[in-house]
Amino acid sequence: MTISSQVSLSGRRAVLALGLTVLLSACGFHLRGSNGSFMLPFATMYIGLPDSSPLAIDLKRYIRAIGSTEVVNLKDGADAVLEVLSDPERTRTKTILSLNKNGRVSEYQLGYSINFRVLDKAGNQLLAPTTISLVRPITFNEAQLLAMETEETQLYRDMRNDMVQQIMRRLAAIKPLLPAMSVAPVAPVTPVAPATPQQ
């Protein structure tokens, strides 16, 4: 391949990449985690997790960073209430995924899941109970227990970050229920007797 053809090929690739970028931005695509992706349709929101929950801390920080929604400490009066039906910190799992030839554990599978729904201030369900389940494999080596613990902690942190992103996507897609439209009262209609034909 000649130098000129290499330049031509790389130029075509650059134009193609630029075209794809323009096309994706035109159809409303935003980079994962960018503010434009997750604008929430609520002025205030209550997160039904303990204040000490790592997921609650990350989720509240993310929502506050966007700036369009205020996270409140009381559910009464909040435009949206994220009600957690199963806390991921209490239900996370670690199961054996595979054994080595000596019958010892060589790989675990970590699980992290949440079940939640979203209500409005009147108690109407804006989002039906939704489950997000994440799993990650982790190799196990008895000779490196400290490194394994560190890696496990990091994987749970990665899953938590992923879960925040997925929760935000679902929240951003909610269409709030519009208040009942006020209709002007209709004036009573007086019945009109049919005209009698003239003789």
Side-chain angles (χ1 to χ4, degrees):
M1 185 181 289
T2 64
I3 295 177
S4 60
S5 62
Q6 285 179 342
V7 171
S8 175
L9 183 59
S10 62
R12 274 184 259 163
R13 286 180 181 162
V15 169
L16 180 60
L18 181 60
L20 284 173
T21 303
V22 171
L23 182 62
L24 288 174
S25 62
C27 72
F29 175 84
H30 297 280
L31 289 176
R32 177 176 164 182
S34 66
N35 288 351
S37 305
F38 303 132
M39 296 301 287
L40 303 185
F42 322 111
T44 58
M45 184 163 201
Y46 172 80
I47 307 294
L49 283 166
D51 289 338
S52 59
S53 162
L55 179 63
I57 292 169
D58 288 351
L59 192 55
K60 289 176 181 179
R61 183 184 299 127
Y62 198 104
I63 293 172
R64 287 178 177 133
I66 293 172
S68 61
T69 300
E70 178 188 358
V71 179
V72 295
N73 296 321
L74 298 173
K75 75 161 60 171
D76 293 339
D79 293 317
V81 174
L82 189 148
E83 186 178 81
V84 176
L85 306 174
S86 70
D87 186 341
E89 299 303 327
R90 295 174 184 264
T91 59
R92 68 184 191 175
T93 60
K94 180 179 180 180
T95 56
I96 295 173
L97 191 59
S98 63
L99 304 173
N100 62 21
K101 62 183 178 180
N102 298 319
R104 295 180 180 274
V105 175
S106 61
E107 198 173 21
Y108 283 103
Q109 179 169 279
L110 307 180
Y112 193 68
S113 64
I114 188 172
N115 183 256
F116 68 98
R117 64 178 182 163
V118 180
L119 308 174
D120 68 7
K121 63 175 65 177
N124 298 310
Q125 190 167 263
L126 299 176
L127 179 66
T130 300
T131 300
I132 299 173
S133 297
L134 304 171
V135 293
R136 298 285 189 278
I138 179 173
T139 54
F140 180 71
N141 186 337
E142 291 179 344
Q144 300 179 336
L145 287 179
L146 186 58
M148 294 294 96
E149 288 178 11
T150 302
E151 184 181 357
E152 182 176 320
T153 300
Q154 181 60 47
L155 282 173
Y156 276 120
R157 186 180 299 121
D158 290 346
M159 283 192 283
R160 190 167 66 244
N161 291 337
D162 192 359
M163 185 169 286
V164 167
Q165 299 284 332
Q166 293 200 38
I167 290 172
M168 290 298 295
R169 275 196 286 273
R170 285 161 175 78
L171 293 177
I174 291 174
K175 306 294 184 210
L177 299 175
L178 296 174
M181 295 177 63
S182 56
V183 180
V186 178
V189 177
T190 305
V192 178
T196 56
Q198 295 181 355
Q199 300 294 332

